[in-house]
Amino acid sequence: MTRGDGSAARSETGRTETTALVLAGGGVAGIAWEIGVLALTPDPLAARRAAGEFAREVEPDGAPGRGSTVSARLPVHEWPHVPLRITAVDAHTGEVAVFDGHTGVALDDAVTASCAVPGVWPVVPIGDRVYIDGGVASLAHA
């Protein structure tokens, strides 16, 4: 189990134990679409690239203020002192990106990228890349 300071606790057997809270899912329509796309190909990376291509067709102007809407719903805007990792998928390469307090990406941007359901919300630019919902790669990321 992880203590409040982020350090790992040791069990009675002496093994290091950690606890993780995995939040995943997204909208029901997005999940259904993602599962359908991923089921059609034996190559998950190709499926993620196809999802990214589809997502890039959504005009950012179709969701003005999306980032500020997500930010307004967050209770904090700084990365916590305990480990927190947020996933998204590069909309061009299909590679999974993992953001945390050490990546230099703002928490609000990481959350917005992780919520960019393909075809529903536009891709989220971070640096010189654009990202979509991490659920395209895995609904659990555990």
Side-chain angles (χ1 to χ4, degrees), residues 33-124:
W33 182 84
E34 291 166 4
I35 290 170
V37 167
L38 294 175
L40 296 176
T41 179
D43 182 356
L45 187 59
R48 294 193 301 264
R49 283 193 300 263
E53 183 178 352
F54 176 75
R56 292 191 312 270
E57 294 176 6
V58 173
E59 293 296 322
D61 296 339
R66 172 72 174 146
S68 60
T69 300
V70 171
S71 293
R73 293 180 178 183
L74 295 178
V76 297
H77 302 281
E78 299 297 325
W79 287 95
H81 296 289
V82 296
L84 172 62
R85 292 171 188 86
I86 298 175
T87 59
V89 171
D90 183 306
H92 287 283
T93 67
E95 295 292 326
V96 175
V98 180
F99 303 115
D100 64 18
H102 304 288
T103 58
V105 173
L107 176 63
D108 296 35
D109 291 340
V111 171
T112 303
S114 184
C115 297
V117 176
V120 178
W121 298 111
V123 295
V124 176

